[in-house]
Amino acid sequence: MKRGQLVDYFEGIGVKRLSVVDAEPKKSNQHEIGTTRKMREDFLSEEHQHKYKAIYIWLGEEQDGITTDSWATLYDARLTNPLRAPEWRLYYPSNPVTEIMKPGDTLFLAKEKSGVLLFIVAPQGSTSEQQLFYLFGVHPEGKSFVSREFDKADPELDFAARYILDELGIEFEDPETDKLDSIIEEFGTTFPTTAEFSRKARLTLPEVRAEDDPDAALLAWLEHEEALFRRLERRIVAIRLEEGFVTPDGIDVDGFISFSLGVQNRRKSRMGHSLENHIAAALDALNIAYVRGAVTENNNRPDFLFPSLAAYQAASPDDTGLMMLGAKSTCKDRWRQVLPEAGKIPLKHLLTLEPGITERQTEQMQASGLQLVVPAGIHRTYNDPQQQWLWSFSDFITEARRRTQHTQRT
């Protein structure tokens, strides 16, 4: 199945490190940022006073992001002075994102195919910044924007790129999703359980086997299930919207808000559960002994405990035959939740799908006795020193098998 490309969503991107003049209007008496000729040639216009619809997005390191709808205007600051070369600037209004951004933050100015500008700000050195560098393939240099235009020569979107698009709130659908209709037909207009949906995704990818490549299988299963889910979700949501939110008493605003929140919450919770489902399927296929959701000390429940709860309870502290694996589709600051989950195991393992976590964060993990496990296909989003430290899912399975065999012999 085709995965789509950036050109399906964007015309171009400009990236720059914000200066004091860019980010602090009180010091410059303006709310504007200079553009470059290449940006205007690639995806912006040279139409004086062109007003764009704009979405402003601030992405913090560990906090929730901020998004606000607004506008931005491109204009020639020297239009009335024909003796001087044109100077094109992008004027932005004050809003929650521009008020929180500061010098040193990175601005990603992307124009969607619809003509909407995305004004995305990420703190320097943050995971969000690293992810956007990977997604757009552009890094800031000097004081001006560095930009590029997207075209069909760009590679297809991989799992990490689609993950980042989803984090930005950009709705995407596979170019060939109509082929999925026959698979989800049996569900009608009802969401099945996550376990049932995960099983369906694996059964309809018979050529993908964990025995051949656990890392590739995990990502393929997750990607396929995501495509199936979005197709079914689109069908169910469309029917509900057609029914409307009108009651005899008027517009049912509370009902609409409740429905919208339900859609968002289902998306968030489903990915974590499906990740656990597919990890378990891979472990079963490879005959790795484990128990899922076992209760350890202080009512903690590690996602996966190896080789069994009985072995864990009988073992002495620091028994080298034991392992545990947490599973979190997104990491952020939640990785610390794994640390107390199995007191007898000093080195915790955590599998995540999050690309491009900063070196500062992975160093904190290492210092805290946590080994990060990332499917091999996402490793390229990390820098070289991090890749040397990261484990793949296959690495974890190899070690789990070795320790399980040692425990069984003793």
Side-chain angles (χ1 to χ4, degrees), residues 209-387:
R209 291 167 23 99
E211 298 93 322
D212 299 330
D213 187 336
D215 293 86
L218 184 61
L219 293 185
W221 289 336
L222 285 164
E223 203 164 43
H224 188 49
E225 182 178 347
E226 181 72 11
L228 292 173
F229 171 80
R230 286 183 181 271
R231 190 64 172 176
L232 180 59
E233 180 189 58
R234 184 175 291 269
R235 174 189 296 177
I236 294 174
V237 169
I239 292 173
R240 182 65 185 91
L241 291 178
E242 286 178 358
E243 294 173 354
F245 293 87
V246 179
T247 69
D249 298 325
I251 302 297
D252 185 9
V253 176
D254 290 339
F256 174 77
I257 293 174
S258 177
F259 176 75
S260 178
L261 289 174
V263 171
Q264 296 301 319
N265 291 335
R266 183 183 297 109
R267 284 187 175 189
K268 291 178 181 178
S269 64
R270 186 197 59 81
M271 177 57 82
H273 290 305
S274 62
L275 174 60
E276 291 183 32
N277 293 337
H278 295 310
I279 290 173
L283 295 173
D284 291 339
L286 293 161
N287 298 314
I288 305 297
Y290 71 94
V291 59
R292 187 173 173 181
V295 179
T296 58
E297 305 89 350
N298 302 316
N299 205 37
N300 283 306
R301 294 176 179 268
D303 295 322
F304 298 91
L305 187 66
F306 304 80
S308 66
L309 179 58
Y312 181 84
Q313 292 172 333
S316 58
D318 300 341
D319 188 315
T320 57
L322 303 174
M323 293 186 79
M324 63 83 63
L325 179 68
K328 294 188 182 299
S329 56
T330 59
C331 224
K332 299 188 185 298
D333 61 340
R334 298 188 305 131
W335 61 268
R336 295 180 179 86
Q337 297 171 0
V338 174
L339 299 179
E341 288 185 347
K344 292 183 179 181
I345 303 175
L347 179 64
K348 321 294 183 184
H349 289 79
L350 173 63
L351 192 151
T352 187
L353 304 174
E354 185 158 4
I357 296 173
T358 63
E359 193 166 7
R360 177 179 61 82
Q361 282 250 358
T362 55
E363 287 174 349
Q364 289 178 1
M365 295 176 187
Q366 191 170 7
S368 300
L370 184 140
Q371 174 63 57
L372 199 61
V373 180
V374 178
I378 305 176
H379 281 207
R380 66 175 69 94
T381 67
Y382 291 77
N383 66 31
D384 290 341
Q386 288 175 303
Q387 290 185 39

Side-chain angles (χ1 to χ4, degrees), residues 18-177:
L18 291 174
S19 66
V20 172
V21 173
D22 296 328
E24 297 185 3
K26 292 181 181 179
K27 294 187 178 181
S28 64
N29 295 316
Q30 58 189 4
H31 289 73
E32 56 190 27
I33 296 176
T35 65
T36 66
R37 175 180 293 179
K38 187 174 189 305
M39 291 174 70
R40 298 191 300 276
E41 291 175 347
D42 286 348
F43 61 94
L44 294 178
S45 68
E46 285 197 348
E47 178 186 345
H48 182 63
Q49 296 291 355
H50 183 90
K51 190 173 184 178
Y52 290 96
K53 178 183 177 182
I55 300 175
Y56 291 78
I57 304 171
W58 185 82
L59 301 172
E61 177 65 275
E62 297 178 354
Q63 309 94 320
D64 290 334
I66 299 173
T67 301
T68 185
D69 292 339
S70 188
W71 50 270
T73 300
L74 186 68
Y75 77 102
D76 180 4
R78 294 176 177 171
L79 184 66
T80 59
N81 191 342
L83 298 180
R84 302 184 66 186
E87 186 175 291
W88 291 88
R89 297 179 179 274
L90 187 74
Y91 179 89
Y92 61 85
S94 180
N95 61 65
V97 173
T98 62
E99 288 174 0
I100 200 173
M101 70 186 190
K102 61 184 184 300
D105 290 347
T106 302
L107 168 62
F108 298 82
L109 188 68
K111 184 181 177 185
E112 292 187 312
K113 299 289 284 188
S114 64
V116 175
L117 288 183
L118 297 187
F119 191 104
I120 309 168
V121 182
Q124 184 176 5
S126 66
T127 294
S128 297
E129 180 193 55
Q130 298 305 312
Q131 291 175 348
L132 292 171
F133 286 158
Y134 177 79
L135 175 66
F136 293 122
V138 182
H139 292 70
E141 297 176 7
K143 297 180 180 180
S144 299
F145 274 106
V146 177
S147 64
R148 61 171 296 217
E149 184 180 16
F150 299 114
D151 57 44
K152 288 295 184 181
D154 293 331
E156 288 190 348
L157 298 171
D158 60 11
F159 184 93
R162 291 158 66 93
Y163 177 105
I164 299 165
L165 283 176
D166 190 55
E167 288 289 292
L168 288 174
I170 295 175
E171 291 290 323
F172 60 85
E173 191 172 15
D174 293 275
E176 301 176 346
T177 46

